[in-house]
Amino acid sequence: MLKPTSESIRADVIQRLQSLGLSGREEFDLAEEIAQHVEDRLRELTAGGTEQREAYRVALAELEDLDALRAGVEKNRLMAHHEPIPAGSPAPARLWEGLWKDLRYAVRGMKRSPVFVLFVVLTLAIGIGANTTVFTLINTLILSPLPVKEPARLVAVAAVDPRNTARSSALFPVAYADLDNYRAQNRVFESLAAFTSPRGMTLLEHGSPGAMFGELVSSNYFSTLGLTPTRGRFLTAEDAVAGAPPVAVLNYAAWQKRFGGDENICGRELRVNGLRLTVVGVTPDHFLGMNAIFGPDIWVPASLAAQLFPNTMENVLTDRTKAQFEGVARLQPGITEDQARASVAAVSEALRQTYPLTNQGRAGVVRPVREILLGVNGNTASSTIFAGAALFVVVGIVLLIACSNVANLLLARSSARQQELAVRLAMGASRARLMRQLLTESVLLSLLSGAAGILVAYQGLQFLFGRLPAAANFPEPRIDALVLAYTLAASLLTGLLFGTIPAWKASRANVADALRDARSAGLGRRRVTIGKALLVGQVAFSFLLLITAALFLRSIGRAYAINPGFQTEHLAVFPTNPGQAGLSKEQSENFYRDVRRRVSAIPSVLEVSWSSNMPLWAGSSTGFQLEGHAPKSAADQIRAVALTVDRDYFGVSGISLEAGRTFTELDRDGTLPVAIVNEKLARDFWPSGALGRRIRLPGEPVSRQVIGVVRTADYTSWGEPQQDAVYTPLAQHFADSMALYVRTAADPRQILSVVEREIHTAGPGILIFGTRTGSEIIDNGLFQAKMGVGLLTIFGLVALGLASIGLYGVLAYSVNQRRREIGLRMALGASRAAVVRLIVAQGMTLVGIGVILGLAASLAAGAALSRMLFGIAATDPLSIALAAALLSTIALLACYLPARRATQVDPLDSLRQA
Amino acid sequence: MATQTDPEWKKGSAELLVLSLLEDQPRHGYDLSKLIQLRSGGALSFHVTSLYPLLHRLEKLKWIEGRWVEKAGERRRRFYSLTTLGRKTLRSKQQSWRDFVASVSRVTGIEHA
């Protein structure tokens, strides 16, 4: 054979490469290189004495293994998108490229185990979602409740009880005239505005009454806050001049929800409390006034107070005994809160000197504006913040449990991946590099969970806020940039938290051990130890939450058993407000009489009466003067609940008479002024007998004679500490808003609409605001506690579920690890029962340790808990037993399942495997 | 490699071998395959069908760089040389190889031969 030429060699090579389907350029280059190789090989062989034809056959034969070539070429082609194992130690400049590779690798890994990913994402989404929900609440209510200009320069001006010197003591309203003095006599405020809390008002629309809320404000209210109207204008000084046309500013949400965002809203006339108010402007969106939780529908000038509320607010702008306003002030630039505090204190002291009769016993103070924003219904801001913090702790625990559960899962998974990781270490990947890879996977998982968590939070908030009535008065929860940033941070932290330990452990894998045999590697044992520690923590936290839930549950049970001092079973209450419908005193009195007559005629109605307060809605006031008890000092004021009631009231509400008599038809205008006191007041002030003693109510010119003593009841809240109370008869002490009390023979729910129809017939324009049965009154009174139980129970059960899954996982893994040992035991005659006992005991030991730790934690948290419990100690043994029983039952099940699987080990099989 | 092993191992060691041989001077494919065979006393040999894809892959990774060189009367040859990144990679691979061999030795009880 002739010596092959370069051309013929290349042609032969190309012919063999054709089946690879290379592109022209690739094929040419590869053929060129390989042809040269063949030529070199040929030369080598012939030089060694091989015959030309044989040498060429041998050289070409080395090309026969086209599969290897095809695989190599294929691999190179895919290399750009498929590098299954990131190579070791890239230069820092390649960090981003490395990160990108890690991400792609992580995504591929997740695609391979969708069930694992789904489980992790669901677990964490619950934890992150709960945290996001609570953070959104806190963000809405506490962090950014006031959308005004420079809120940092705003302060609250209100009154405190000077005997209570605590810095965070409850704030009380101030008289308008006092605020006027503070405004005129200080050198620290740029401006100071006065406002009331939201008041219920009657809006007459198309002839039928509807409820709305309004605030009375000084004309500089909006300019002090630095707001800009969405439509129209705000109040001006001219609006506050006597005789000026009555105007109102509308809440943005009310404008949208009540008036459909009507573009011609300005100039529209509203009939409120019998007055025609012209809407002049609309507030900016999300502004609810100086209250973070509940806002009004309209703001009206304080100068309209007497016209809107003739009975309660007459002379309210000048009478210093009528403390119904709070102040908000803007500090002058450069003035600190301390300087303002000193200035107001000085004015307050001067007022006390000038008006000793009215201004004793209260002191003007300057507080951070947050305190009036959150200080609702006598709660101080700190109790709202405390509730927020408590919720945060609970959801934090849930997230921790979720994290530790996922960490356990990852540990189990990483032990399954030990060989892969060991190979990568052997091939030169650094440990840091491996840790980064594993952490990338964790963080990717946690970010996915964070996205799912936002959905969970959105649903949760919809659920929570969807239950609130009249949405215009409540803040709307906003998932804003801050909330999203929080969720992102929580997710990243979560990913690092549950990813770090498994990643660190996995990257410490001993290469040689792992390569030799993953199953018996020393790593496995350490993994179980960390897993066990995590598990004990989970059990402890679940137990803590369960104990708390059980405590609240028992506390509510106790609360329902509390006797409030009045009957609730056959009671229905209908609050009305004839004054706001424009009725005069005579008309209102006729209305009260007419309703009594009509409702009494309804079959199954046993008794009817009127009271100025709904049960548990009464507040206390000061300024009572009792015979024989001249106040020792001006600050020593007698505080009591004052109630105006019609005759038969005590029979209807089931408050028993202990001494003397109740009010009769004879107690009316012109006869001897009388009053009835409760047992507590009688015992406190007249232990020798209260009947015939004299008492003077604040603001009344004459003293009343005590004619009866009744049992002490709860007036303000369920299970409250006893309060002093004084009752006056309606016929001698008129009120223009009263609640109808009806005692029925049967279930009061059956007659609600009948009674409402009769009230409507007696007074067509009169609003019935919030009809309630006795049991609804209790439910409302216990709403907070019930909400607490609901949330705690849900979170407690979620935590227990997660911990049980973790327990199951760790035990199942351990059973798998000990197959050989178990097989051996059974081969040597251990019974199935003994094996079950062995495994269950192992699991329950962990549970036992967790329970003890959880118990210790619950005792430590007892002090904080006890202030939220009714008549039950935080160490209540029954609650603890209840929680322990529930936890043990579920934990036992979680242990038993893997234990039973252990007994199904075939001794022969497991020994052979080993 | 002559013995049958995990492809991962072979891949790893093959890279190490090629990089090591390019450490001192640029070489072409045939040269590399001869050197591996010679220096290992015939224990290791590279098939032409795996060698060239490997070289191309290392080039794609920018560890080595190929260059066509023409000589009068001869077919042009492709010479490969080590890049800076390749040199770094070689260092790290040498280190982990030493670690690996040491671990294997400790486990199996075989001392360095």
Side-chain angles (χ1 to χ4, degrees):
Chain A
M1 181 193 163
L2 282 173
K3 186 182 170 193
T5 61
S6 292
E7 279 63 40
S8 69
I9 292 175
R10 184 186 323 174
D12 280 338
V13 169
I14 287 182
Q15 191 202 339
R16 282 171 171 74
L17 293 183
Q18 252 164 8
S19 67
L20 296 179
L22 296 170
S23 72
R25 179 77 210 166
E26 270 179 307
E27 189 178 84
F28 180 80
D29 280 353
L30 189 61
E32 187 83 355
E33 259 187 303
I34 293 182
Q36 179 60 52
H37 186 100
V38 170
E39 217 175 308
D40 287 342
R41 179 83 173 120
L42 187 59
R43 192 179 308 133
E44 183 196 333
L45 289 170
T46 47
T50 314
E51 185 254 332
Q52 185 75 243
R53 177 202 283 266
E54 177 58 15
Y56 193 48
R57 196 192 58 77
V58 170
L60 276 184
E62 285 171 9
L63 279 181
E64 290 303 307
D65 188 11
L66 273 180
D67 282 342
L69 192 57
R70 181 176 291 117
V73 167
E74 198 64 26
K75 196 169 177 185
N76 287 357
R77 192 177 294 158
L78 291 175
M79 203 173 76
H81 359 258
H82 189 87
E83 173 65 8
I85 296 176
S89 63
R94 304 208 324 166
L95 179 73
W96 289 111
E97 197 186 327
L99 203 61
W100 178 234
K101 267 187 191 165
D102 285 352
L103 270 178
R104 278 201 324 249
Y105 185 69
V107 168
R108 274 206 308 278
M110 283 163 64
K111 275 190 196 154
R112 274 199 299 272
S113 39
V115 176
F116 168 79
V117 171
L118 191 71
F119 181 81
V120 168
V121 168
L122 278 181
T123 305
L124 291 177
I126 292 171
I128 296 176
N131 273 273
T132 304
T133 307
V134 170
F135 183 79
T136 308
L137 286 178
I138 288 174
N139 181 39
T140 309
L141 299 182
I142 300 174
L143 296 182
S144 56
L146 202 57
V148 303
K149 196 181 85 183
E150 293 184 71
R153 273 173 61 210
L154 289 178
V155 292
V157 179
V160 291
D161 187 337
R163 282 171 301 184
N164 191 342
T165 51
R167 268 225 156 171
S168 58
S169 60
L171 294 176
F172 295 101
V174 189
Y176 189 88
D178 288 356
L179 284 173
D180 248 356
N181 289 111
Y182 292 133
R183 185 170 49 77
Q185 293 166 25
N186 80 81
R187 291 204 178 77
V188 291
F189 299 138
E190 207 166 86
S191 65
L192 188 159
F195 61 94
T196 64
S197 55
R199 308 279 157 130
M201 295 180 165
T202 306
L203 171 72
L204 203 62
E205 257 181 318
H206 314 297
S208 61
M212 72 187 303
F213 288 87
E215 267 182 34
L216 296 161
V217 295
S218 58
S219 59
N220 62 350
Y221 177 74
F222 293 103
S223 58
T224 300
L225 295 177
L227 290 168
T228 317
T230 304
R231 291 284 185 284
R233 65 171 176 88
F234 285 144
L235 305 177
T236 62
E238 287 80 58
D239 294 321
V241 173
V247 295
V249 171
L250 197 60
N251 175 349
Y252 184 94
W255 173 47
Q256 292 295 328
K257 286 175 178 143
R258 279 178 186 263
F259 303 102
D262 180 7
E263 280 301 327
N264 302 314
I265 192 70
C266 293
R268 188 157 162 176
E269 202 171 70
L270 305 179
R271 289 205 59 185
V272 177
N273 288 12
L275 209 62
R276 290 173 191 277
L277 302 173
T278 306
V279 175
V280 292
V282 178
T283 58
D285 198 5
H286 300 300
F287 178 71
L288 275 185
M290 296 305 292
N291 189 319
I293 295 163
F294 189 85
D297 299 281
I298 55 169
W299 287 265
V300 291
S303 52
L304 297 176
Q307 285 167 273
L308 286 167
F309 302 99
N311 196 53
T312 53
M313 295 195 111
E314 213 183 355
N315 301 327
V316 78
L317 299 190
T318 49
D319 186 343
R320 286 181 199 268
T321 64
K322 291 189 174 166
Q324 307 208 18
F325 286 84
E326 285 160 286
V328 56
R330 186 169 288 278
L331 295 171
Q332 283 173 12
I335 296 289
T336 66
E337 215 175 287
D338 279 330
Q339 289 169 304
R341 196 168 289 130
S343 170
V344 163
V347 178
S348 169
E349 186 51 38
L351 286 174
R352 206 161 8 184
Q353 306 286 339
T354 320
Y355 308 100
L357 281 178
T358 54
N359 285 53
Q360 295 294 356
R362 67 174 91 118
V365 288
V366 167
R367 287 281 178 81
V369 77
R370 187 183 65 235
E371 295 197 18
I372 37 173
L373 286 172
L374 294 173
V376 204
N377 299 335
N379 288 336
T380 56
S382 58
S383 68
T384 308
I385 292 170
F386 175 81
L391 258 183
F392 229 173
V393 169
V394 170
V395 293
I397 289 176
V398 170
L399 185 56
L400 265 182
I401 292 178
C403 279
S404 86
N405 222 25
V406 172
N408 253 341
L409 271 176
L410 281 182
L411 277 171
R413 231 168 87 91
S414 72
S415 78
R417 284 171 68 180
Q418 262 175 54
Q419 246 177 325
E420 173 205 333
L421 296 173
V423 167
R424 285 164 60 174
L425 279 171
M427 298 315 295
S430 69
R431 291 182 194 274
R433 185 73 183 71
L434 272 193
M435 248 186 99
R436 203 179 83 189
Q437 168 67 50
L438 291 170
L439 275 181
T440 306
E441 291 178 24
S442 308
V443 169
L444 191 63
L445 275 175
S446 69
L447 287 180
L448 269 182
S449 313
I454 288 177
L455 288 181
V456 170
Y458 181 77
Q459 289 300 328
L461 290 165
Q462 291 281 311
F463 175 75
L464 283 176
F465 279 76
R467 294 155 70 100
L468 291 175
N473 302 111
F474 293 96
E476 277 174 53
R478 271 182 300 162
I479 298 188
D480 56 15
L482 189 63
V483 171
L484 292 181
Y486 170 82
T487 308
L488 182 67
S491 306
L492 286 176
L493 196 69
T494 304
L496 293 179
L497 203 61
F498 74 70
T500 304
I501 296 175
W504 184 74
K505 276 286 147 201
S507 73
R508 303 243 68 78
N510 185 314
V511 176
D513 280 357
L515 288 177
R516 199 173 49 204
D517 182 5
R519 272 175 309 163
S520 61
L523 187 74
R525 266 177 221 292
R526 264 181 288 145
R527 190 204 79 76
V528 170
T529 313
I530 293 184
K532 279 176 179 167
L534 287 174
L535 197 65
V536 166
Q538 286 185 40
V539 171
F541 278 132
S542 320
F543 192 52
L544 176 63
L545 288 185
L546 283 178
I547 288 182
T548 316
L551 279 173
F552 271 87
L553 206 65
R554 290 250 300 141
S555 151
I556 284 189
R558 283 284 174 92
Y560 273 97
I562 288 175
N563 182 356
F566 58 88
Q567 67 101 4
T568 54
E569 236 167 275
H570 298 288
L571 182 68
V573 183
F574 307 80
T576 66
N577 205 325
Q580 290 192 0
L583 270 63
S584 68
K585 187 180 170 196
E586 284 69 33
Q587 286 169 322
S588 297
E589 284 170 340
N590 281 334
F591 167 76
Y592 294 145
R593 266 195 299 276
D594 195 18
V595 170
R596 273 190 81 122
R597 191 175 49 76
R598 287 170 176 276
V599 175
S600 301
I602 298 172
S604 92
V605 168
L606 298 179
E607 248 179 323
V608 180
S609 184
W610 290 97
S611 167
S612 56
N613 284 92
M614 301 267 290
L616 306 182
W617 277 56
S620 60
S621 48
T622 57
F624 293 86
Q625 292 174 39
L626 273 64
E627 179 189 332
H629 287 272
K632 291 183 194 68
S633 73
D636 180 27
Q637 298 237 4
I638 293 168
R639 176 173 284 277
V641 177
L643 299 148
T644 299
V645 299
D646 204 359
R647 66 201 149 77
D648 303 329
Y649 169 77
F650 300 104
V652 175
S653 55
I655 297 174
S656 59
L657 183 72
E658 301 296 324
R661 64 168 178 92
T662 58
F663 300 129
T664 67
E665 298 235 34
L666 297 171
D667 301 312
R668 57 174 194 271
D669 257 353
T671 63
L672 175 75
V674 292
I676 291 173
V677 298
N678 69 356
E679 270 186 307
K680 171 156 196 315
L681 187 141
R683 196 172 56 234
D684 285 352
F685 296 96
W686 299 302
S688 58
L691 296 182
R693 303 284 191 148
R694 303 184 77 76
I695 183 168
R696 211 163 112 178
L697 269 59
E700 274 203 319
V702 293
S703 289
R704 295 175 174 274
Q705 187 168 18
V706 175
I707 54 158
V709 178
V710 293
R711 232 175 79 193
T712 305
D714 288 350
Y715 306 101
T716 308
S717 61
W718 195 257
E720 67 187 13
Q722 291 202 332
Q723 300 189 77
D724 293 331
V726 182
Y727 298 88
T728 49
L730 176 63
Q732 288 183 350
H733 191 255
F734 175 74
D736 69 352
S737 97
M738 295 287 279
L740 183 74
Y741 280 50
V742 177
R743 186 160 73 91
T744 57
D747 187 347
R749 275 175 300 182
Q750 292 161 359
I751 51 115
L752 293 182
S753 57
V754 189
V755 174
E756 282 182 349
R757 203 157 52 234
E758 292 299 338
I759 296 173
H760 193 68
T761 314
I766 293 169
L767 174 70
I768 306 166
F769 182 62
T771 298
R772 285 183 180 83
T773 62
S775 53
E776 283 167 347
I777 289 166
I778 308 179
D779 288 346
N780 284 333
L782 294 175
F783 177 75
Q784 260 183 317
K786 277 184 159 176
M787 194 77 175
V789 171
L791 288 175
L792 276 170
T793 310
I794 291 171
F795 289 141
L797 289 179
V798 167
L800 177 62
L802 291 178
S804 305
I805 292 168
L807 190 62
Y808 173 84
V810 166
L811 284 183
Y813 180 82
S814 154
V815 165
N816 214 22
Q817 292 256 306
R818 294 169 68 179
R819 280 176 78 86
R820 188 174 159 204
E821 175 205 328
I822 293 167
L824 199 62
R825 280 171 190 271
M826 289 177 70
L828 292 176
S831 68
R832 278 167 196 271
V835 171
V836 168
R837 270 203 303 277
L838 179 80
I839 303 295
V840 169
Q842 185 197 354
M844 290 310 279
T845 309
L846 297 181
V847 173
I849 299 171
V851 162
I852 291 169
L853 289 179
L855 186 61
S858 83
L859 293 180
L865 283 176
S866 59
R867 61 190 270 188
M868 298 185 276
L869 299 173
F870 287 104
I872 192 168
T875 52
D876 178 52
L878 192 63
S879 303
I880 293 171
L882 209 68
L886 181 64
L887 187 123
S888 318
T889 312
I890 293 188
L892 211 56
L893 194 68
C895 294
Y896 176 70
L897 293 177
R900 208 187 50 179
R901 229 181 57 192
T903 64
Q904 284 155 3
V905 169
D906 181 346
L908 279 180
D909 262 4
S910 62
L911 290 176
R912 213 177 287 131
Q913 259 182 26
Chain B
M1 272 187 229
T3 46
Q4 202 60 35
T5 42
D6 189 324
E8 293 286 353
W9 297 69
K10 182 160 178 176
K11 180 187 138 222
S13 54
E15 288 170 357
L16 180 59
L17 290 174
V18 170
L19 293 177
S20 307
L21 290 176
L22 293 177
E23 195 178 1
D24 304 329
Q25 60 177 97
R27 293 180 196 280
H28 55 81
Y30 185 74
D31 197 8
L32 285 169
S33 78
K34 283 319 296 178
L35 275 172
I36 290 173
Q37 205 173 5
L38 274 177
R39 292 200 182 166
S40 69
L44 299 175
S45 76
F46 255 112
H47 237 283
V48 55
T49 50
S50 3
L51 176 64
Y52 287 99
L54 172 66
L55 288 172
H56 292 177
R57 194 152 55 79
L58 297 186
E59 194 173 7
K60 260 190 166 175
L61 288 170
K62 300 213 166 51
W63 291 355
I64 61 175
E65 200 174 28
R67 203 160 30 92
W68 290 106
V69 175
E70 305 209 23
K71 269 192 197 163
E74 262 186 52
R75 191 196 293 273
R76 58 188 190 136
R77 289 176 183 278
R78 197 159 165 80
F79 277 82
Y80 292 94
S81 56
L82 219 51
T83 62
T84 320
L85 180 62
R87 214 165 283 281
K88 275 188 192 165
T89 310
L90 175 61
R91 294 277 166 275
S92 113
K93 279 185 181 292
Q94 282 169 336
Q95 184 55 46
S96 55
W97 184 257
R98 273 194 286 273
D99 292 349
F100 175 58
V101 170
S103 321
V104 170
S105 308
R106 276 197 302 278
V107 170
T108 53
I110 303 167
E111 289 308 314
H112 290 283

